Amino acid sequence: MWPMTLYLKYRPQTVPELDLKAVRESLGKTLSNKDLPAGRQSLPHAWLFSGPRGVGKTSAARVLAKYINCRGKEKPCNKCDLCLGITAGACPDVVEIDAASNRGIDEIRQLREGVGLAPMQAKFKVYIIDEVHMLTSEAANALLKTLEEPPPHVMFVLCTTEAEKLPETVISRCTRVVFSKPSLEEIVEKLKRVAGEEKLKVDHGQLILIAKAARGSFRDAIKMLEQVMLGGKLDEIEGAGEFLEMGTDEALAYVNKLAERGVNLRTFVEKCVEELREKLLETKDVSLISKIEELERAYGRMKDAAVPQLPLEIFVIERAGESKSIRAGGEKKSEGPTIKKQEPVVGGNLGGHMLDDVLSHWPEVMKAVRPKNHSVEALLRSTKPVGFDGRDLILEAFYEFHKKQLETERCRVIVEQTVSEVLGVDVVALKMQLGHGSTVAKATGGDGGEELVKAAEEIFKR
Ligand SMILES: [Zn+2]
């Protein structure tokens, strides 16, 4: 894997490298006006960087910290010990605090104590407080006191995605820099630079696609570019948003399509989770939380699932089950699980001892299938033989979806040939049926989703 993520690798390190043109210009202007050594003292002591996530606020804060502390001539030189220390996040005088997880009065008190002490190496102590609007009001008031009378060796850079939540008294103490959502061109520009330096073959059209899908976040754009580099496909990344909106049938078919095309499903799930996270932060819609948790569970399971796509399919079906129970009480027909009751092709235990023969040889069959086609082997794991008469082999699948895949010519032939080889019979004809007899029958009833999920989860236990 990469020694560090591309986002960190291509973090702007100087003012001219800042990604947003407006910020580059306004910050550059403020700094160059006060560029005299003595004048540095007269730079603002409190800054407020506000704007959406992923647009480079904390990166800019670090550039600022380097700028005022750099020992070099050209600031920041990115060569002196202070610049390097700050870039590495290892400078004791530049303190980054995530207010989302350090919200309370105690943390701010601690900070105020530290503020009183002289810097250890640098000229200025810089406190970068991220998501500053998350501070409790008590903590925000304590911070305000420090902002009102900052020691001359201290600079604050407050970063926030929600400036309107900050007390007016805090805002008025700060020099504000507004980070607006980047334009498509700005994101493409950034991607171009990263792709160029990484010597990536990505054409302009693809960069535009990524930039669009990133919806105003440099961070997301670069992550997507990274996924493409790691072998992901562009449409798997684009599709995450649509996927989350799809109905059950469509979503299951979509998962199948991705799997067939060899798309990395874990990458896809990562993208879905990110998508939901963004929505959650935007809308604070708590109903998204369970969705995120379920996806993460699927993500964990995908690592060693026999059928890699199954955890994602379970997610889809679970969601269908849930929206169904939410709607329960209404008379509307739901879009729940799509498996329909189906008459068994043949009764459960056709050809008693012949079936036993198949069952006892089944591990061998799986083993023999594996080198021929890995995904057929994986599919077989979610089936079981329920009948054999010397010619017709009946396999029960728990999912319509897997049944259909095994019924395709390509898969069917592999199974038939392998079984006939292992059992030493001339002709085998594969017949698929949908299983768990009673489970599936129930699945057409009111709470089919649950039953189905149970059945599917059994597969994992094996
Ligand atoms: Zn330097």
Side-chain angles (χ1 to χ4, degrees), residues 66 69-72 74-84:
K66 284 197 284 193
N69 280 319
C70 177
R71 300 189 204 273
E74 205 166 295
K75 300 184 185 310
C77 70
N78 285 309
K79 284 175 194 147
C80 69
D81 59 328
L82 287 168
C83 280
L84 295 176

Side-chain angles (χ1 to χ4, degrees), residues 22-23 26-27 30 47-51 57 175-179:
V23 172
S26 74
L27 209 55
T30 314
W47 299 76
L48 176 62
F49 288 2
S50 63
K57 297 187 294 295
T175 299
R176 188 161 177 181
V177 180
V178 176
F179 289 65

Side-chain angles (χ1 to χ4, degrees), residues 194-224:
V194 175
E197 299 210 13
E198 291 292 316
K199 302 204 173 19
L200 278 174
K201 279 185 195 150
V202 196
D203 65 41
H204 192 71
Q206 282 177 307
L207 292 182
I208 290 177
L209 271 181
I210 296 175
K212 275 187 185 158
R215 291 203 247 151
S217 165
F218 289 114
R219 182 162 42 209
D220 286 358
I222 295 175
K223 269 195 177 171
M224 284 182 213

